[in-house]
Amino acid sequence: EVQLVETGGGLIQPGGSLRLSCEASGFIVSTKFMSWVRQAPGKGLEWVSVSYSDAETYYADSVRGRFSISRDNSKNTLYLQMSGLRVEDTARYYCARERAAQSNANAFDLWGQGTMVTVSS
Amino acid sequence: QSVLTQPPSVSGAPGQTVTISCTGSGSNIGAGYDVHWYQQLPGTAPKLLIYDNNNRPSGVPDRFSGSRSGTSASLAITGLQAEDEADYYCQSHDSRVTGSRVFGTGTKVAVL
């Protein structure tokens, strides 16, 4: 079955760090552009970061310098290392696959169920 | 705040047609970047509804259609059904931030 499964969310204090994982099955992560998208409670979708490859990654202004996206091709898994967490980072974090590996305007054709991150003291 | 603006809500009776707009600018939709649409049912992950402006993935009913013109895009739902009650988001790229993906503000569709 083709799917994405995110893990690693939880309750963390402001300033803390957390690593999210997204394990893919049914396709090879290294052949795809992969993104993280988040959704704060009751709010809309916000793109966070994309990994084209190990060497080419991009970030939203709101997380640049604090978050780092990476992948382990041997485990077919995408990661999001989050540090310097803020209350406003509280959200459900989704892993999403892009349907094409060729431009900045690809659609997300596969989503995980998400993992909740709560930043609070 | 998002660079793609959608109406907060639209509503219609069963069987009617509703249209959701997605307004951008010259650095995103107006620059020719493709627009995609997602449906998010309550408590679930988003689902791709329309890709590359007007294409439906396999399994998406043809009641859903998309278009793009100038700096805007639209999603139309014809023959509205109770199961269409959900949040809808547009998505594209904005050239002002390298590698960025941008989502619209989201629209809640209510079936009366």
Side-chain angles (χ1 to χ4, degrees):
Chain A
E1 182 183 3
V2 179
Q3 64 176 0
L4 297 167
V5 178
E6 303 96 330
T7 55
L11 175 63
I12 188 78
Q13 290 189 337
S17 297
L18 206 58
R19 189 179 81 158
L20 307 182
S21 300
C22 169
E23 184 173 1
S25 53
F27 72 97
I28 301 172
V29 162
S30 63
T31 64
K32 297 290 188 181
F33 288 4
M34 298 292 297
S35 277
W36 288 95
V37 176
R38 68 184 180 183
Q39 186 170 35
K43 303 297 184 180
L45 301 172
E46 179 187 16
W47 172 77
V48 172
S49 179
V50 63
S51 170
Y52 290 179
S53 67
D54 287 341
E56 190 168 9
T57 59
Y58 299 99
Y59 300 89
D61 290 344
S62 58
V63 306
R64 189 177 297 113
R66 300 187 298 122
F67 290 11
S68 177
I69 191 172
S70 63
R71 56 175 82 190
D72 185 333
N73 293 333
S74 67
K75 296 182 178 179
N76 214 32
T77 298
L78 181 75
Y79 300 101
L80 185 68
Q81 178 68 49
M82 305 184 295
S83 60
L85 282 162
R86 305 167 180 168
V87 171
E88 55 265 34
D89 294 320
T90 294
R92 176 164 291 273
Y93 285 73
Y94 294 100
C95 171
R97 182 184 75 177
E98 301 196 2
R99 69 175 291 278
Q102 60 187 29
S103 80
N104 292 321
N106 303 311
F108 299 109
D109 67 345
L110 181 67
W111 297 69
Q113 83 290 349
T115 185
M116 187 68 201
V117 172
T118 302
V119 184
S120 174
S121 55
Chain B
Q1 66 278 18
S2 177
V3 298
L4 302 180
T5 303
Q6 300 178 231
S9 64
V10 298
S11 62
Q16 287 188 330
T17 297
V18 296
T19 301
I20 301 169
S21 61
C22 175
T23 303
S25 66
S27 62
N28 42 69
I29 299 175
Y33 294 108
D34 288 329
V35 179
H36 322 292
W37 291 90
Y38 302 88
Q39 177 192 61
Q40 187 176 31
L41 298 170
T44 69
K47 167 192 167 185
L48 180 62
L49 204 60
I50 296 288
Y51 67 93
D52 295 354
N53 309 309
N54 55 16
N55 295 283
R56 285 185 308 277
S58 175
V60 173
D62 59 6
R63 303 185 292 104
F64 295 92
S65 63
S67 64
R68 183 190 70 180
S69 178
T71 58
S72 297
S74 293
L75 173 71
I77 310 174
T78 59
L80 195 64
Q81 299 182 4
E83 66 207 51
D84 299 333
E85 192 159 284
D87 294 323
Y88 293 82
Y89 296 90
C90 59
Q91 177 241 321
S92 186
H93 165 66
D94 192 285
S95 60
R96 289 174 295 183
V97 179
T98 304
S100 71
R101 280 87 173 121
V102 290
F103 285 96
T105 49
T107 299
K108 170 71 177 180
V109 170
V111 181
L112 304 175

